[in-house]
Amino acid sequence: MSKTPIIILNYKTYTESTGKNAVQLSRYVQEASEESGVNMAIAPQAVDLYPIINEVDIPVYSQHMDAITPGGHTGSTLPEAIKEAGVNGTLINHSEQRLTLADIDAVVEKTKELELTSVLCTNNVKTSAAAASFNPDYIAIEPPELIGTGIPVSQANPEIVENTVEEIHKINKDVIVLCGAGISTGEDLKAALELGSQGVLLASGIIKADDQKQALLDLVSLI
Ligand code: G3P
């Protein structure tokens, strides 16, 4: 398990975080993590995982993996392939890649079997409480309506973060709670941590910044 607070940068499918840009961004994240002493992990697209793993030492997560077993599943992402590529973990059920309840269960179980870190994404307090019973390593609460807006969840909807932490820990004290959506500045991160989360999952605020490395350093400058 990684030390907290943890910053997880989801590369999504932005041009600025794809292909060669993804590799360069990963170098920036590693440098920012080393310079600040803050734990930073990344979640590039599946096709970019292998070159990035060969380039940096920070934790690398997949953005998704499918609830499938080896065999006939054209176009899917096989958990064993993720593991063999050398990744450390995976996002699960991101709001841009939702899974059924049964598939969430299967994928979390698979991460345990393969010794991968699980970051299970949720959209509200109720689903977060339900997610806690799957016993993932992390739950990341992200209200979908704030994703990509630049309006930080930690300031626009502090109650959802506080209530999520409380409800999850009533059910499972071992789960580390992250929050995300609209996070980009040092104030946003500080507020997120003060609300009881132990890190953030974020994307556009860093990826679309003119100077991505400086944006990462600014993000962690107040903690
Ligand atoms: O997974 C991170 C995420 O959905 C938040 O995106 O662009 O609002 O930081 P963004």
Side-chain angles (χ1 to χ4, degrees), residues 10 12 14 91 94-96 142 146-150 180-183 201-205:
N10 178 2
K12 301 199 175 185
Y14 291 110
L91 307 185
H94 190 279
S95 72
E96 294 154 9
E142 297 194 317
L146 295 176
I147 291 177
T149 61
I183 303 282
L201 177 60
L202 81 172
S204 54

Side-chain angles (χ1 to χ4, degrees), residues 36-190:
S36 65
V38 177
N39 189 16
M40 296 184 188
I42 53 179
Q45 291 169 66
V47 72
D48 290 327
L49 288 170
Y50 194 67
I52 288 173
I53 283 156
N54 286 322
E55 189 67 29
V56 294
D57 297 322
I58 52 177
V60 179
Y61 297 160
S62 173
Q63 294 179 9
H64 168 73
M65 62 187 206
D66 287 298
I68 55 164
T69 50
H73 301 283
T74 304
S76 300
T77 304
L78 180 69
E80 285 80 357
I82 295 293
K83 176 71 182 181
E84 202 172 321
V87 309
N88 305 86
T90 184
L91 307 185
I92 300 167
N93 193 47
H94 190 279
S95 72
E96 294 154 9
Q97 191 63 257
R98 285 284 185 236
L99 300 180
T100 64
L101 207 53
D103 283 353
I104 292 171
D105 185 24
V107 172
V108 173
E109 285 305 312
K110 186 54 91 171
T111 59
K112 294 182 198 302
E113 183 189 319
L114 296 175
E115 297 183 342
L116 293 167
T117 299
S118 50
V119 184
L120 178 51
C121 302
T122 56
N123 61 320
N124 62 32
V125 178
K126 268 197 295 190
T127 57
S128 301
S133 65
F134 292 117
N135 197 26
D137 298 305
Y138 296 88
I139 290 176
I141 169 73
E142 297 194 317
E145 66 279 9
L146 295 176
I147 291 177
T149 61
I151 302 169
V153 59
S154 52
Q155 308 212 19
N157 194 348
E159 307 78 31
I160 200 173
V161 181
E162 276 179 325
N163 295 341
T164 295
V165 173
E166 193 183 321
E167 292 304 316
I168 287 175
H169 285 163
K170 272 187 203 161
I171 294 163
N172 188 336
K173 287 212 175 340
D174 295 332
V175 176
I176 296 171
V177 182
L178 311 179
C179 67
I183 303 282
S184 61
T185 68
E187 283 81 16
D188 302 343
L189 174 59
K190 189 164 176 271

